[in-house]
Coordinates of all heavy atoms in Angstrom, one line a residue:
A1 N 22.5 -0.1 8.7 CA 22.7 0.4 7.4 C 22.0 1.7 7.1 O 22.5 2.6 6.5 CB 22.0 -0.6 6.4
M2 N 20.9 2.1 7.9 CA 20.1 3.2 7.7 C 21.0 4.5 8.2 O 20.9 5.5 7.5 CB 18.8 3.2 8.5 CG 17.8 4.2 8.1 SD 17.4 4.2 6.3 CE 16.5 2.7 6.1
K3 N 21.7 4.2 9.1 CA 22.6 5.4 9.7 C 23.6 5.9 8.6 O 23.9 7.0 8.4 CB 23.4 5.0 11.0 CG 22.6 5.0 12.2 CD 23.4 4.5 13.4 CE 22.6 4.4 14.6 NZ 23.4 4.0 15.8
L4 N 24.0 4.9 7.9 CA 25.0 5.2 6.8 C 24.5 5.9 5.6 O 25.1 6.6 4.9 CB 25.7 3.9 6.2 CG 26.6 3.3 7.3 CD1 27.0 1.9 6.7 CD2 27.7 4.0 7.8
Y5 N 23.1 5.8 5.4 CA 22.4 6.6 4.3 C 22.0 7.9 4.8 O 21.9 8.8 3.9 CB 21.1 5.8 3.9 CG 21.4 4.6 3.0 CD1 21.0 3.3 3.4 CD2 22.0 4.9 1.9 CE1 21.3 2.2 2.6 CE2 22.4 3.7 1.0 CZ 22.0 2.3 1.4 OH 22.2 1.3 0.6
K6 N 21.7 8.2 6.0 CA 21.3 9.5 6.6 C 22.4 10.4 6.4 O 22.0 11.7 6.1 CB 20.8 9.3 8.1 CG 19.5 8.5 8.1 CD 19.0 8.5 9.6 CE 17.6 7.7 9.7 NZ 17.0 7.6 11.0
K7 N 23.6 10.1 6.6 CA 24.7 11.1 6.5 C 24.7 11.7 5.0 O 24.7 12.9 4.8 CB 26.0 10.7 7.0 CG 26.9 11.9 7.0 CD 26.5 12.9 8.2 CE 27.6 13.8 8.3 NZ 27.2 14.9 9.2
P8 N 24.9 10.8 4.1 CA 24.9 11.4 2.7 C 23.7 12.0 2.3 O 23.7 13.0 1.4 CB 25.3 10.2 1.8 CG 25.0 9.0 2.6 CD 25.1 9.4 4.0
L9 N 22.6 11.7 2.7 CA 21.3 12.3 2.4 C 21.3 13.7 2.9 O 21.1 14.7 2.1 CB 20.1 11.6 3.0 CG 18.7 12.3 2.8 CD1 18.4 12.2 1.4 CD2 17.6 11.5 3.6
E10 N 21.8 14.0 4.2 CA 21.8 15.2 4.8 C 22.7 16.1 4.0 O 22.6 17.3 3.6 CB 22.4 15.0 6.2 CG 22.4 16.3 7.1 CD 22.8 15.8 8.5 OE1 22.3 15.0 9.1 OE2 24.0 16.3 8.8
I11 N 24.0 15.5 3.6 CA 25.0 16.3 2.9 C 24.4 16.7 1.5 O 24.7 17.8 1.0 CB 26.4 15.5 2.8 CG1 27.0 15.4 4.1 CG2 27.3 16.1 1.8 CD1 28.1 14.3 4.1
N12 N 23.9 15.6 0.8 CA 23.4 16.0 -0.4 C 22.2 17.0 -0.6 O 22.1 17.9 -1.4 CB 23.0 14.8 -1.3 CG 24.1 13.9 -1.6 OD1 25.3 14.4 -1.8 ND2 23.9 12.6 -1.9
K13 N 21.5 16.9 0.4 CA 20.3 17.9 0.6 C 20.8 19.3 0.8 O 20.4 20.3 0.2 CB 19.2 17.6 1.5 CG 18.4 16.4 1.2 CD 17.7 15.8 2.3 CE 16.6 16.7 2.9 NZ 15.7 16.0 3.9
K14 N 21.8 19.4 1.5 CA 22.4 20.7 1.9 C 23.1 21.2 0.8 O 23.0 22.5 0.3 CB 23.4 20.5 3.1 CG 24.0 21.9 3.5 CD 25.0 21.7 4.7 CE 25.8 22.9 5.1 NZ 26.7 22.7 6.1
N15 N 24.0 20.4 0.1 CA 24.8 21.0 -1.0 C 24.3 21.0 -2.4 O 24.6 21.8 -3.2 CB 26.1 20.2 -1.0 CG 26.9 20.4 0.2 OD1 27.1 21.5 0.7 ND2 27.5 19.2 0.7
L16 N 23.4 20.1 -2.7 CA 22.9 19.9 -4.0 C 21.2 20.3 -4.0 O 20.8 20.6 -5.1 CB 22.9 18.5 -4.4 CG 24.4 18.0 -4.4 CD1 24.3 16.5 -4.7 CD2 25.2 18.6 -5.5
G17 N 20.7 20.3 -3.0 CA 19.2 20.7 -2.9 C 18.3 19.5 -2.8 O 18.8 18.3 -3.2
E18 N 17.1 19.6 -2.3 CA 16.3 18.6 -2.1 C 15.8 17.8 -3.3 O 15.4 16.6 -3.2 CB 15.0 19.2 -1.4 CG 13.8 18.2 -1.0 CD 14.1 17.3 0.1 OE1 14.8 17.7 0.9 OE2 13.7 16.1 0.0
S19 N 15.9 18.5 -4.4 CA 15.3 17.8 -5.7 C 16.4 17.4 -6.6 O 16.1 17.0 -7.8 CB 14.3 18.8 -6.4 OG 15.1 19.9 -6.8
H20 N 17.6 17.1 -6.1 CA 18.7 16.6 -6.8 C 18.6 15.1 -7.0 O 18.0 14.4 -6.1 CB 20.1 17.0 -6.3 CG 21.2 16.7 -7.1 ND1 21.7 15.5 -7.3 CD2 21.9 17.6 -8.2 CE1 22.8 15.6 -8.2 NE2 22.8 16.7 -8.6
S21 N 18.9 14.5 -8.2 CA 18.8 13.1 -8.4 C 19.6 12.3 -7.4 O 19.2 11.1 -7.1 CB 19.3 12.8 -9.9 OG 20.7 13.1 -10.0
S22 N 20.7 12.7 -6.8 CA 21.5 12.0 -5.8 C 20.6 11.8 -4.5 O 20.7 10.8 -3.8 CB 22.8 12.8 -5.5 OG 23.6 12.7 -6.5
V23 N 19.8 12.9 -4.2 CA 18.8 12.7 -3.1 C 17.7 11.7 -3.4 O 17.4 10.8 -2.5 CB 18.2 14.1 -2.9 CG1 17.1 14.1 -1.7 CG2 19.2 15.0 -2.3
A24 N 17.3 11.6 -4.6 CA 16.2 10.6 -5.0 C 16.8 9.1 -4.9 O 16.1 8.3 -4.4 CB 15.9 10.8 -6.4
T25 N 18.0 9.1 -5.3 CA 18.8 7.8 -5.3 C 18.9 7.3 -3.8 O 18.7 6.1 -3.5 CB 20.1 7.8 -6.0 OG1 20.0 8.2 -7.3 CG2 20.8 6.6 -5.8
T26 N 19.2 8.2 -2.9 CA 19.5 7.9 -1.6 C 18.1 7.5 -0.9 O 18.0 6.5 -0.2 CB 20.1 9.0 -0.8 OG1 21.4 9.3 -1.4 CG2 20.4 8.7 0.7
Y27 N 17.1 8.2 -1.1 CA 15.8 7.9 -0.7 C 15.4 6.5 -1.1 O 14.9 5.7 -0.5 CB 14.7 8.9 -1.2 CG 14.6 10.2 -0.5 CD1 14.4 11.5 -1.1 CD2 14.6 10.2 0.9 CE1 14.3 12.6 -0.5 CE2 14.6 11.4 1.5 CZ 14.2 12.5 0.9 OH 14.2 13.8 1.5
N28 N 15.6 6.1 -2.3 CA 15.3 4.8 -2.9 C 16.0 3.7 -2.2 O 15.6 2.7 -1.9 CB 15.6 4.8 -4.4 CG 14.8 3.7 -5.1 OD1 13.7 3.7 -5.4 ND2 15.6 2.6 -5.2
S29 N 17.3 4.0 -2.1 CA 18.3 3.0 -1.2 C 17.7 2.8 0.2 O 17.6 1.7 0.7 CB 19.6 3.4 -1.2 OG 20.2 3.5 -2.5
M30 N 17.4 4.0 0.8 CA 16.8 3.8 2.2 C 15.4 3.1 2.2 O 15.2 2.2 3.1 CB 16.6 5.2 2.8 CG 17.9 5.9 3.0 SD 17.7 7.8 3.4 CE 17.0 7.5 5.1
A31 N 14.7 3.3 1.2 CA 13.4 2.6 1.0 C 13.6 1.0 0.9 O 13.0 0.3 1.5 CB 12.5 3.2 -0.1
D32 N 14.8 0.7 0.1 CA 15.1 -0.6 0.0 C 15.4 -1.3 1.3 O 14.9 -2.5 1.5 CB 16.2 -0.9 -1.0 CG 16.0 -0.5 -2.4 OD1 14.8 -0.5 -2.8 OD2 16.9 -0.2 -3.2
V33 N 15.9 -0.5 2.2 CA 16.4 -1.2 3.5 C 15.1 -1.3 4.3 O 14.9 -2.5 5.0 CB 17.5 -0.2 4.2 CG1 17.6 -0.7 5.6 CG2 18.8 -0.2 3.5
Y34 N 14.3 -0.5 4.3 CA 13.1 -0.5 5.1 C 12.1 -1.6 4.5 O 11.5 -2.4 5.3 CB 12.2 0.8 5.0 CG 12.6 1.9 6.1 CD1 12.9 3.1 5.6 CD2 12.8 1.7 7.4 CE1 13.4 4.2 6.5 CE2 13.1 2.6 8.2 CZ 13.4 3.8 7.8 OH 13.8 4.8 8.7
E35 N 12.2 -1.8 3.2 CA 11.4 -2.8 2.7 C 11.9 -4.2 3.0 O 11.1 -5.1 3.5 CB 11.3 -2.7 1.2 CG 10.5 -3.8 0.4 CD 10.6 -3.6 -1.0 OE1 11.1 -2.8 -1.6 OE2 9.9 -4.6 -1.7
A36 N 13.3 -4.3 3.1 CA 13.9 -5.7 3.6 C 13.6 -5.9 4.9 O 13.6 -7.1 5.3 CB 15.4 -5.5 3.2
Q37 N 13.5 -4.9 5.7 CA 13.1 -5.0 7.2 C 11.6 -5.3 7.4 O 11.2 -5.5 8.6 CB 13.7 -3.8 7.9 CG 15.1 -3.5 7.9 CD 15.6 -2.2 8.6 OE1 14.6 -1.3 8.7 NE2 16.7 -2.1 9.1
G38 N 10.9 -5.2 6.4 CA 9.5 -5.4 6.6 C 8.6 -4.2 7.0 O 7.5 -4.2 7.3
N39 N 9.4 -3.0 7.0 CA 8.7 -1.8 7.4 C 8.2 -1.1 6.0 O 8.8 -0.1 5.6 CB 9.8 -0.8 8.0 CG 9.0 0.4 8.6 OD1 8.0 0.8 8.3 ND2 9.8 1.0 9.7
N40 N 7.1 -1.7 5.6 CA 6.5 -1.2 4.3 C 6.1 0.2 4.3 O 6.1 0.8 3.2 CB 5.4 -2.1 3.9 CG 6.0 -3.6 3.6 OD1 7.1 -3.7 3.1 ND2 5.2 -4.6 3.9
K41 N 5.5 0.7 5.5 CA 5.0 2.0 5.4 C 6.1 3.0 5.2 O 5.9 4.0 4.5 CB 4.5 2.3 6.8 CG 3.8 3.6 7.0 CD 3.0 3.7 8.3 CE 2.5 5.2 8.6 NZ 1.8 5.3 9.8
E42 N 7.4 2.9 5.9 CA 8.4 3.7 5.7 C 9.0 3.7 4.3 O 9.4 4.6 3.9 CB 9.5 3.6 6.8 CG 9.1 4.2 8.1 CD 8.8 5.7 8.2 OE1 9.7 6.3 7.6 OE2 7.8 6.2 8.6
A43 N 9.1 2.3 3.8 CA 9.5 2.1 2.5 C 8.8 3.0 1.5 O 9.2 3.6 0.6 CB 9.5 0.7 2.2
M44 N 7.4 2.7 1.6 CA 6.5 3.5 0.5 C 6.7 5.0 0.6 O 6.7 5.6 -0.5 CB 5.1 3.0 0.9 CG 4.2 3.5 -0.2 SD 4.6 2.9 -1.9 CE 4.2 1.2 -1.8
K45 N 6.8 5.5 1.8 CA 7.0 6.8 2.0 C 8.3 7.4 1.3 O 8.3 8.4 0.6 CB 7.0 7.3 3.6 CG 7.3 8.7 4.0 CD 7.0 8.8 5.4 CE 8.1 9.7 6.0 NZ 8.0 10.0 7.3
L46 N 9.4 6.7 1.5 CA 10.6 7.1 0.8 C 10.6 6.8 -0.7 O 11.2 7.5 -1.5 CB 11.7 6.5 1.4 CG 12.1 6.9 3.0 CD1 13.1 6.1 3.4 CD2 12.3 8.4 3.0
Y47 N 9.9 5.8 -1.1 CA 9.7 5.4 -2.6 C 9.0 6.7 -3.2 O 9.2 7.1 -4.3 CB 9.1 4.1 -2.9 CG 10.0 3.0 -2.8 CD1 9.4 1.8 -2.2 CD2 11.2 2.8 -3.2 CE1 10.2 0.7 -2.0 CE2 12.0 1.8 -3.1 CZ 11.5 0.6 -2.3 OH 12.2 -0.5 -2.3
K48 N 8.0 7.1 -2.5 CA 7.1 8.2 -3.1 C 7.9 9.5 -3.2 O 7.8 10.1 -4.2 CB 5.9 8.5 -2.3 CG 4.9 7.4 -2.5 CD 3.6 7.5 -1.7 CE 2.6 6.5 -1.8 NZ 1.4 6.7 -1.1
K49 N 8.8 9.7 -2.2 CA 9.6 10.9 -2.3 C 10.6 10.8 -3.4 O 11.0 11.8 -4.2 CB 10.5 11.1 -1.0 CG 9.8 11.6 0.2 CD 10.6 11.9 1.3 CE 10.0 12.5 2.4 NZ 10.9 13.0 3.6
S50 N 11.3 9.6 -3.6 CA 12.2 9.4 -4.6 C 11.4 9.5 -6.1 O 12.0 10.1 -7.0 CB 12.7 8.0 -4.5 OG 13.5 7.6 -5.7
L51 N 10.3 8.9 -6.1 CA 9.5 9.1 -7.4 C 9.3 10.4 -7.8 O 9.4 10.9 -9.0 CB 8.2 8.3 -7.2 CG 7.3 8.2 -8.5 CD1 7.9 7.6 -9.6 CD2 6.1 7.6 -8.2
E52 N 8.9 11.4 -6.8 CA 8.5 12.6 -7.0 C 9.7 13.4 -7.7 O 9.5 14.2 -8.6 CB 8.0 13.4 -5.8 CG 7.7 14.8 -5.9 CD 7.2 15.3 -4.6 OE1 6.3 14.7 -3.9 OE2 7.5 16.5 -4.3
I53 N 10.8 13.3 -7.0 CA 12.1 13.9 -7.6 C 12.5 13.3 -9.0 O 12.8 14.2 -9.8 CB 13.2 13.7 -6.6 CG1 13.0 14.3 -5.2 CG2 14.7 14.2 -7.1 CD1 13.8 14.0 -4.1
K54 N 12.4 12.1 -9.1 CA 12.8 11.5 -10.5 C 11.9 12.0 -11.7 O 12.3 12.4 -12.5 CB 12.9 10.0 -10.2 CG 13.9 9.4 -9.5 CD 13.8 7.9 -9.5 CE 14.9 7.4 -8.6 NZ 14.8 5.8 -8.6
K55 N 10.5 12.0 -11.3 CA 9.6 12.5 -12.3 C 10.0 13.9 -12.6 O 9.9 14.3 -13.8 CB 8.2 12.3 -11.8 CG 7.7 10.9 -11.9 CD 6.4 10.5 -11.2 CE 5.3 11.5 -11.7 NZ 4.0 11.0 -11.0
K56 N 10.2 14.7 -11.6 CA 10.5 16.0 -11.9 C 11.8 16.3 -12.8 O 11.8 17.0 -13.6 CB 10.6 16.9 -10.6 CG 11.0 18.4 -10.6 CD 11.1 18.9 -9.4 CE 11.5 20.4 -9.4 NZ 11.8 21.0 -8.1
N57 N 12.8 15.6 -12.4 CA 14.1 15.7 -13.0 C 14.3 14.9 -14.4 O 14.9 15.3 -15.3 CB 15.2 15.3 -12.2 CG 15.4 16.3 -11.1 OD1 15.1 17.5 -11.2 ND2 15.8 15.7 -9.9
L58 N 13.6 13.8 -14.5 CA 13.8 12.8 -15.6 C 12.7 12.7 -16.5 O 12.8 12.3 -17.6 CB 14.3 11.5 -15.0 CG 15.4 11.5 -14.2 CD1 15.6 10.1 -13.4 CD2 16.7 11.9 -14.9
G59 N 11.5 13.0 -16.0 CA 10.3 12.9 -16.8 C 9.6 11.5 -16.5 O 10.3 10.5 -16.0
E60 N 8.3 11.4 -16.7 CA 7.5 10.3 -16.5 C 8.0 8.9 -17.2 O 7.8 7.8 -16.6 CB 6.1 10.5 -16.9 CG 5.1 9.5 -16.6 CD 4.8 9.3 -15.1 OE1 4.7 10.4 -14.4 OE2 4.5 8.2 -14.5
D61 N 8.6 9.0 -18.3 CA 8.8 7.8 -19.1 C 10.3 7.3 -18.9 O 10.8 6.5 -19.7 CB 8.7 8.1 -20.5 CG 7.2 8.5 -20.8 OD1 6.3 7.8 -20.2 OD2 6.8 9.0 -21.8
H62 N 11.0 7.9 -18.0 CA 12.5 7.5 -17.8 C 12.5 6.1 -17.1 O 11.7 5.7 -16.3 CB 13.3 8.5 -16.9 CG 14.7 8.3 -16.9 ND1 15.3 7.5 -16.0 CD2 15.7 8.9 -17.7 CE1 16.6 7.4 -16.3 NE2 16.8 8.3 -17.2
S63 N 13.5 5.3 -17.4 CA 13.6 4.0 -16.8 C 13.8 3.9 -15.2 O 13.3 3.1 -14.6 CB 14.8 3.1 -17.5 OG 16.0 3.9 -17.3
S64 N 14.4 5.1 -14.7 CA 14.6 5.1 -13.4 C 13.3 5.2 -12.7 O 12.9 4.8 -11.5 CB 15.5 6.1 -12.9 OG 15.8 6.2 -11.5
V65 N 12.4 6.0 -13.3 CA 10.9 6.3 -12.7 C 10.3 5.0 -12.7 O 9.5 4.6 -11.8 CB 10.3 7.4 -13.7 CG1 8.8 7.5 -13.2 CG2 11.0 8.7 -13.4
A66 N 10.4 4.2 -13.8 CA 9.6 2.9 -13.9 C 10.3 2.0 -12.7 O 9.6 1.2 -12.3 CB 10.0 2.2 -15.3
D67 N 11.6 1.9 -12.6 CA 12.1 1.2 -11.6 C 11.4 1.5 -10.2 O 11.2 0.6 -9.4 CB 13.5 1.3 -11.4 CG 14.4 0.7 -12.6 OD1 13.8 -0.2 -13.3 OD2 15.5 1.0 -12.7
T68 N 11.3 2.7 -9.9 CA 10.7 3.2 -8.6 C 9.2 2.7 -8.6 O 8.8 2.2 -7.5 CB 10.8 4.7 -8.4 OG1 12.2 4.9 -8.4 CG2 10.2 5.0 -7.1
Y69 N 8.4 2.8 -9.6 CA 7.2 2.2 -9.7 C 7.1 0.8 -9.3 O 6.2 0.4 -8.6 CB 6.5 2.6 -11.1 CG 5.9 4.0 -11.2 CD1 6.2 4.8 -12.2 CD2 4.9 4.3 -10.4 CE1 5.7 5.9 -12.4 CE2 4.3 5.6 -10.5 CZ 4.7 6.5 -11.6 OH 4.1 7.6 -11.7
N70 N 8.0 0.1 -10.0 CA 8.2 -1.3 -9.7 C 8.4 -1.7 -8.2 O 7.8 -2.6 -7.7 CB 9.2 -2.0 -10.7 CG 9.1 -3.4 -10.7 OD1 8.2 -4.0 -11.0 ND2 10.2 -4.0 -10.2
N71 N 9.3 -0.8 -7.7 CA 9.6 -1.2 -6.2 C 8.4 -0.9 -5.3 O 8.0 -1.6 -4.5 CB 10.7 -0.1 -5.7 CG 12.0 -0.4 -6.4 OD1 12.2 -1.5 -6.8 ND2 12.9 0.6 -6.3
M72 N 7.7 0.2 -5.8 CA 6.4 0.4 -4.9 C 5.3 -0.7 -5.2 O 4.7 -1.0 -4.3 CB 5.8 1.8 -5.5 CG 6.7 3.0 -5.1 SD 6.2 4.5 -5.9 CE 4.6 4.8 -5.1
A73 N 5.3 -1.2 -6.4 CA 4.3 -2.5 -6.6 C 4.7 -3.5 -5.9 O 3.8 -4.3 -5.4 CB 4.3 -2.6 -8.2
N74 N 5.9 -3.8 -5.8 CA 6.4 -4.9 -4.9 C 6.0 -4.8 -3.4 O 5.6 -5.8 -2.8 CB 8.0 -5.0 -4.9 CG 8.4 -5.6 -6.3 OD1 7.7 -6.3 -7.0 ND2 9.7 -5.2 -6.7
V75 N 6.1 -3.6 -2.9 CA 5.6 -3.3 -1.5 C 4.1 -3.6 -1.4 O 3.7 -4.3 -0.5 CB 5.9 -1.9 -1.1 CG1 5.3 -1.6 0.3 CG2 7.5 -1.6 -0.9
Y76 N 3.3 -3.1 -2.4 CA 1.9 -3.3 -2.4 C 1.7 -4.8 -2.3 O 0.8 -5.3 -1.7 CB 1.2 -2.6 -3.5 CG 1.1 -1.1 -3.3 CD1 1.3 -0.2 -4.3 CD2 0.5 -0.6 -2.1 CE1 1.1 1.1 -4.1 CE2 0.3 0.8 -1.9 CZ 0.6 1.6 -2.9 OH 0.4 3.0 -2.7
Q77 N 2.4 -5.5 -3.2 CA 2.2 -6.9 -3.3 C 2.5 -7.7 -1.9 O 1.6 -8.6 -1.7 CB 3.0 -7.5 -4.5 CG 2.9 -9.0 -4.7 CD 3.9 -9.5 -5.7 OE1 5.0 -9.1 -5.9 NE2 3.3 -10.4 -6.5
K78 N 3.6 -7.3 -1.4 CA 3.8 -8.0 0.0 C 2.7 -7.7 1.0 O 2.6 -8.6 1.9 CB 5.2 -7.3 0.4 CG 6.3 -7.9 -0.2 CD 7.6 -7.2 0.2 CE 8.9 -7.7 -0.6 NZ 10.1 -7.1 -0.2
Q79 N 2.1 -6.5 0.9 CA 0.9 -6.2 1.7 C -0.3 -6.8 1.3 O -1.4 -6.7 2.1 CB 0.8 -4.7 1.7 CG 1.8 -3.9 2.4 CD 1.7 -2.4 2.2 OE1 1.2 -1.9 1.2 NE2 2.2 -1.6 3.3
G80 N -0.3 -7.5 0.2 CA -1.6 -8.1 -0.3 C -2.6 -7.1 -0.9 O -3.7 -7.3 -1.0
N81 N -2.0 -5.9 -1.2 CA -2.8 -4.8 -1.7 C -2.7 -4.8 -3.2 O -2.1 -4.0 -3.9 CB -2.3 -3.5 -1.2 CG -3.3 -2.3 -1.5 OD1 -4.1 -2.5 -2.2 ND2 -3.2 -1.2 -0.7
F82 N -3.3 -5.8 -3.8 CA -3.2 -6.1 -5.2 C -3.9 -5.0 -6.2 O -3.3 -4.8 -7.2 CB -3.7 -7.5 -5.7 CG -3.0 -8.6 -4.9 CD1 -3.6 -9.2 -3.9 CD2 -1.5 -8.9 -5.1 CE1 -2.9 -10.3 -3.1 CE2 -0.9 -9.8 -4.4 CZ -1.5 -10.6 -3.4
E83 N -4.8 -4.3 -5.6 CA -5.6 -3.4 -6.5 C -4.6 -2.2 -6.7 O -4.4 -1.6 -7.7 CB -6.7 -2.9 -5.7 CG -7.6 -1.9 -6.5 CD -9.0 -1.6 -5.9 OE1 -9.6 -2.6 -5.4 OE2 -9.3 -0.4 -5.9
E84 N -4.0 -1.8 -5.5 CA -3.0 -0.7 -5.7 C -1.8 -1.0 -6.6 O -1.2 -0.2 -7.3 CB -2.4 -0.2 -4.3 CG -3.5 0.4 -3.4 CD -3.8 1.8 -3.9 OE1 -3.0 2.5 -4.6 OE2 -4.9 2.4 -3.7
E85 N -1.3 -2.2 -6.4 CA -0.2 -2.7 -7.2 C -0.5 -2.8 -8.6 O 0.1 -2.1 -9.5 CB 0.1 -4.2 -6.9 CG 1.1 -4.9 -7.7 CD 1.2 -6.3 -7.6 OE1 0.5 -7.0 -6.8 OE2 2.1 -6.8 -8.1
M86 N -1.8 -3.2 -9.0 CA -2.1 -3.1 -10.5 C -2.4 -1.8 -11.0 O -2.0 -1.5 -12.2 CB -3.4 -3.9 -10.6 CG -3.2 -5.4 -10.4 SD -1.8 -6.2 -11.3 CE -2.2 -6.0 -13.0
D87 N -2.7 -0.7 -10.1 CA -2.9 0.5 -10.6 C -1.5 1.1 -11.0 O -1.4 2.0 -12.0 CB -3.5 1.5 -9.5 CG -5.0 1.2 -9.3 OD1 -5.7 0.6 -10.2 OD2 -5.5 1.6 -8.4
L88 N -0.5 0.8 -10.4 CA 0.9 1.3 -10.7 C 1.4 0.6 -12.1 O 2.2 1.4 -12.8 CB 1.8 0.9 -9.8 CG 1.8 1.6 -8.4 CD1 2.8 1.1 -7.3 CD2 2.0 3.2 -8.5
Y89 N 0.8 -0.4 -12.4 CA 1.3 -1.0 -13.8 C 0.3 -0.5 -14.9 O 0.7 -0.9 -16.0 CB 1.2 -2.5 -13.6 CG 2.2 -3.1 -12.8 CD1 2.2 -3.7 -11.6 CD2 3.7 -3.0 -13.3 CE1 3.2 -4.2 -10.9 CE2 4.7 -3.5 -12.6 CZ 4.4 -4.2 -11.3 OH 5.5 -4.7 -10.6
K90 N -0.5 0.2 -14.6 CA -1.5 0.8 -15.7 C -0.8 2.0 -16.4 O -0.2 2.8 -15.8 CB -2.8 1.2 -15.2 CG -3.6 -0.1 -14.8 CD -4.9 0.3 -14.4 CE -5.7 -1.0 -13.9 NZ -7.0 -0.7 -13.3

């Protein structure tokens, strides 16, 4: 699945720019795959990239930003890192 995400990511970054919302969406989808595979480190890295782009384009209070925070909290929860998880919900 990851190979199928890398090509559109490459195309969107080239044609739309690194900070386009389509790039953020692809990063988020890739992070979902990594999370499902148990690769929480890579998942978190891509969730953070997605979050940065979404906050820049949509603002801190957008529902898509909230969804990404929630995804990140789920990763922290799976890692047993409840302190970090709770910080995201504040």
Side-chain angles (χ1 to χ4, degrees):
M2 196 55 68
K3 287 181 183 180
L4 296 175
Y5 284 120
K6 288 183 179 182
K7 189 64 176 175
L9 177 65
E10 190 178 295
I11 292 168
N12 286 335
K13 284 169 62 175
K14 179 181 175 184
N15 294 319
L16 303 172
E18 177 73 36
S19 62
H20 193 274
S21 61
S22 292
V23 173
T25 299
T26 304
Y27 279 140
N28 198 85
S29 297
M30 292 170 73
D32 290 343
V33 171
Y34 279 127
E35 183 181 356
Q37 293 173 340
N39 190 342
N40 295 326
K41 182 177 179 181
E42 284 300 312
M44 190 59 72
K45 184 172 137 183
L46 293 177
Y47 282 139
K48 286 179 180 179
K49 283 185 173 186
S50 177
L51 180 65
E52 182 179 316
I53 295 167
K54 288 178 180 183
K55 284 170 54 177
K56 179 180 176 184
N57 291 328
L58 304 171
E60 182 73 37
D61 295 329
H62 194 276
S63 62
S64 186
V65 171
D67 289 341
T68 302
Y69 276 125
N70 192 59
N71 292 340
M72 293 168 68
N74 288 336
V75 171
Y76 284 134
Q77 183 180 36
K78 287 177 184 177
Q79 293 174 324
N81 193 341
F82 301 111
E83 187 174 315
E84 291 289 334
E85 176 192 8
M86 292 310 295
D87 284 346
L88 290 175
Y89 287 113
K90 291 180 182 178

